[in-house]
Amino acid sequence: MKIKILQKNGCAILAVLCLIGLCLPFVDAYNGAERSIYSNVKNAKDYEVDYECMKYLDKYPKGEYAKDVSNILISKMKKDGDIKRTYKLGVRYASLEVGKKLKELSYKMAEIKNDYYSWSQYLEVCNIEDIKDAQERLNKCTN
């Protein structure tokens, strides 16, 4: 007995793959993945809040809970007081409103501390458009 193997039509395979690709977002929404990740943010321990926020914002930058998650991330960075990390997160999310707020927060943290170390940290990571008067403030700390 011979088994005949039919040639597969490339178009049919491509159509099936496209159909699967189109269905994935709906499966994701159906499973409540966004709500689940948001729940992880809300229930995260203090040391993992920023990581959970990044997971959410990376996957759902304009999601239903994006504003709340952004506020949580800003609060966490404010509490931590890490100027460099805050600015770097601002760069990471530059296309979102939270990115601008994080960059501004890093400047404000340096301004509040107003010492050589804080301004040098800020200048080490900031982009040229965000320098403002940081170099002058750093110079004042050395005099």
Side-chain angles (χ1 to χ4, degrees):
M1 173 153 96
K2 277 189 166 181
I3 299 175
K4 289 186 179 183
I5 299 175
L6 301 174
Q7 284 187 326
K8 296 197 167 127
N9 186 343
C11 290
I13 293 171
L14 186 59
V16 169
L17 290 174
C18 287
L19 181 63
I20 291 170
L22 290 172
C23 291
L24 287 177
F26 298 108
V27 171
D28 190 32
Y30 180 77
N31 289 333
E34 181 180 4
R35 193 174 312 114
S36 175
I37 294 174
Y38 176 67
S39 177
N40 291 345
V41 170
K42 297 295 279 181
N43 297 321
K45 304 256 189 268
D46 188 53
Y47 62 88
E48 61 188 7
V49 168
D50 46 345
Y51 171 72
E52 293 297 334
C53 288
M54 289 186 293
K55 268 183 19 183
Y56 179 89
L57 290 172
D58 287 345
K59 187 148 182 156
Y60 303 103
K62 299 193 187 290
E64 181 179 348
Y65 309 103
K67 189 172 184 171
D68 189 33
V69 171
S70 296
N71 290 334
I72 292 169
L73 181 59
I74 290 168
S75 294
K76 172 70 166 132
M77 292 297 98
K78 193 180 293 186
K79 180 181 171 189
D80 288 353
D82 187 332
I83 294 168
K84 288 169 66 171
R85 186 150 191 271
T86 301
Y87 189 88
K88 287 178 181 180
L89 284 173
V91 171
R92 180 176 181 159
Y93 298 110
S95 64
L96 304 175
E97 183 65 27
V98 70
K100 180 180 175 184
K101 289 180 180 180
L102 287 165
K103 286 180 176 183
E104 289 171 359
L105 176 61
S106 67
Y107 180 86
K108 286 178 185 174
M109 287 189 290
E111 190 174 42
I112 289 168
K113 293 177 182 178
N114 200 28
D115 59 15
Y116 181 84
Y117 180 71
S118 300
W119 287 115
S120 61
Q121 278 192 316
Y122 180 78
L123 284 167
E124 188 178 321
V125 293
C126 77
N127 295 330
I128 195 152
E129 67 270 8
D130 295 321
I131 287 179
K132 301 177 187 175
D133 61 347
Q135 186 63 52
E136 295 154 19
R137 289 175 178 255
L138 177 70
N139 293 341
K140 284 181 184 177
C141 292
T142 59
N143 295 332

